[in-house]
Amino acid sequence: MDKKYQVALSFASENREYVEEVAAALRKSSIRVFYDKFEQTNFWGKNLYEHLDDVYRNQAHFYVIFISEHYLKKTWTNHERKSAQARAFETKEEYILPARFDDTKIPGLPPTIFYFDLQIIRPTVFAQIIINKLIDANLNILTPTNVSKPKVIKSSPKTPNNKQKSDPKPININYKSLENAKTLKPQTKTVNFNFEGIAQLSNDKPIVYKILTKANRNNYTGVAKRGEVYTTIQKHLVPGKNYVPGFKVKIEKMKTIQEAQKKADRIIKRSKPNYNKPLK
């Protein structure tokens, strides 16, 4: 069932400057986003306690919570959070998408749930991450309602040499193809090996990935399951046992994780990346 909003944003006013940039970038990309400043006229005369409960419980496909110490202290943000958590509990859907300004613990939010660290991600990049999530969930597909149809230009009655102009051939737009455009995306993609680059990747398929040096040599090859592309690759950016230095990351989408693992094994055996353990 379609919802009024593709995503609803919940945040403390102290973090408005960051969130407003995210909301503006989403709106510019024609995303149906619930952001309070966009709703002032709609709020007029409403009982906001009931209205916000309805929005965060029923009217959005996803709920993005911008966690901070300020968020936990506010009456309204906690009201929004409880409505969203009730929805997640009732439907058992992947609904709550957390992002953090700090390490504040939020009641009812498991410590094992993955989140994005907003201290190292620019607002426009985070907006693109949200858009990628919507695309993966088939919620940002181009439809005939937001594609302008071509105008048919009528020919003039007669040309100077008295020859009748023929009507121009109508331009046919295959709207079904436009709706399925995301299936035509290339199966390989190379991006910068940083948080902003990884945010440009899609999470919709299992992948094989290679972390490349500036000289385009393979430093590491791995695989990621569908839905775990961001989390799997990002762990290599953080100093520790999984850290891998690199300049670019190249991914290739595969049909199954088993197919991805077989291809990764072939690549490792052939190129012997510095940070992969030798295959037995």
Side-chain angles (χ1 to χ4, degrees):
M1 180 180 177
D2 198 23
K3 308 282 187 185
K4 183 175 181 179
Y5 304 101
Q6 290 168 308
V7 61
L9 310 182
S10 180
F11 61 97
S13 58
E14 287 82 355
N15 305 123
R16 180 178 293 281
E17 184 178 353
Y18 184 101
V19 177
E20 186 153 314
E21 286 192 52
V22 175
L26 292 172
R27 182 184 245 190
K28 188 175 181 180
S29 296
S30 300
I31 302 301
R32 302 193 308 275
V33 54
F34 179 84
Y35 172 64
D36 60 358
K37 276 196 175 181
F38 298 163
E39 302 287 326
Q40 297 301 304
T41 303
N42 191 30
F43 284 166
W44 196 7
K46 280 187 169 61
N47 179 327
L48 290 184
Y49 188 89
E50 294 178 356
H51 179 67
L52 292 177
D53 175 69
D54 184 44
V55 168
Y56 288 105
R57 188 191 293 258
N58 302 315
Q59 294 190 28
H61 285 284
F62 288 110
Y63 160 85
V64 177
I65 176 173
F66 291 83
I67 299 169
S68 71
E69 60 175 329
H70 307 293
Y71 190 98
L72 190 60
K73 297 175 183 177
K74 299 294 181 79
T75 301
W76 283 104
T77 52
N78 280 287
H79 172 55
E80 295 163 5
R81 170 183 61 82
K82 290 174 183 177
S83 296
Q85 288 175 328
R87 151 79 172 274
F89 177 78
E90 291 165 0
T91 64
K92 296 180 173 57
E93 294 174 341
E94 185 181 285
Y95 176 56
I96 298 175
L97 307 178
R100 290 185 173 274
F101 289 107
D102 56 40
D103 293 329
T104 300
K105 293 182 179 179
I106 299 296
L109 196 65
T112 53
I113 192 170
F114 177 76
Y115 64 88
F116 279 101
D117 184 351
L118 301 177
Q119 296 181 75
I120 57 176
I121 302 176
R122 294 204 314 267
T124 51
V125 174
F126 187 59
Q128 185 58 53
I129 292 172
I130 294 173
I131 292 170
N132 288 347
K133 184 72 173 180
L134 297 176
I135 292 172
D136 291 345
N138 294 321
L139 296 178
N140 191 37
I141 298 175
L142 190 63
T143 61
T145 58
N146 52 24
V147 178
S148 57
K149 294 185 179 181
K151 294 180 180 179
V152 177
I153 303 172
K154 294 182 179 180
S155 60
S156 57
K158 296 264 183 164
T159 58
N161 59 4
N162 292 327
K163 289 185 178 179
Q164 185 74 28
K165 277 188 178 179
S166 59
D167 289 338
K169 292 181 179 179
I171 302 172
N172 294 319
I173 296 180
N174 188 335
Y175 292 112
K176 189 67 177 177
S177 296
L178 288 173
E179 291 177 357
N180 296 327
K182 85 182 185 76
T183 63
L184 303 177
K185 287 184 177 180
Q187 298 303 298
T188 62
K189 188 169 185 175
T190 302
V191 297
N192 290 332
F193 184 50
N194 54 34
F195 285 100
E196 295 181 8
I198 295 169
Q200 300 173 38
L201 301 175
S202 175
N203 237 357
D204 62 339
K205 296 284 185 181
I207 65 160
V208 177
Y209 65 92
K210 294 191 288 185
I211 299 174
L212 306 173
T213 67
K214 199 167 186 177
N216 210 37
R217 296 190 64 177
N218 186 8
N219 249 1
Y220 182 87
T221 294
V223 300
K225 296 179 180 179
R226 179 182 181 274
E228 298 181 8
V229 174
Y230 304 140
T231 53
T232 301
I233 300 178
Q234 284 176 358
K235 68 184 180 182
H236 300 299
L237 292 170
V238 182
K241 67 175 183 178
N242 294 313
Y243 175 74
V244 177
F247 181 67
K248 299 279 187 179
V249 59
K250 182 176 182 179
I251 67 106
E252 180 177 357
K253 294 183 180 182
M254 310 297 287
K255 292 181 180 178
T256 66
I257 191 64
Q258 291 79 12
E259 183 181 331
Q261 188 62 63
K262 286 180 181 178
K263 180 154 189 177
D265 290 344
R266 292 196 299 270
I267 294 171
I268 294 168
K269 188 174 182 179
R270 182 178 68 247
S271 62
K272 297 180 174 59
N274 292 332
Y275 286 79
N276 282 102
K277 293 180 181 179
L279 293 175
K280 296 181 179 179

